[in-house]
């Protein structure tokens, strides 16, 4: 996660009235959303590759006996 410069943080505090805790929370949420999107993209790529290889799709139903 890229840290804000001191100047950027001061600007957010002065102009937007954000507290340092709020700024850190927003930065952490941004990182979390970025990481989640990356993981979802990776899962989609794996599913696409499995589909191309002809792997059977899994369903949420009960297993076959």
């Amino acid at each position: 996660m890229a840290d804000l410069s001191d100047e950027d943080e001061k600007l957010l505090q002065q102009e937007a009235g954000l507290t340092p805790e709020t700024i850190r929370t927003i930065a952490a949420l941004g990182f979390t959303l970025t990481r989640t999107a990356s993981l979802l993209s990776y899962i989609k790529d794996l599913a696409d590759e499995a589909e191309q290889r002809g792997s059977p799709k899994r369903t949420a139903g009960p297993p076959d006996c």
Side-chain angles (χ1 to χ4, degrees):
M1 171 171 51
D3 291 325
L4 293 172
S5 70
D6 290 339
E7 292 144 7
D8 288 340
E9 191 167 335
K10 286 179 186 176
L11 181 65
L12 287 170
Q13 289 176 9
Q14 292 172 354
E15 298 298 323
L18 299 177
T19 65
E21 294 80 19
T22 302
I23 294 168
R24 283 192 296 274
T25 299
I26 291 169
L29 287 172
F31 175 77
T32 301
L33 289 173
T34 301
R35 186 68 180 138
T36 300
S38 176
L39 290 171
L40 288 173
S41 177
Y42 177 70
I43 290 169
K44 182 188 177 301
D45 290 345
L46 289 176
D48 289 346
E49 184 176 331
E51 187 175 283
Q52 288 176 358
R53 290 184 181 195
S55 298
K57 292 182 181 179
R58 295 187 61 152
T59 61
D64 294 331
C65 293

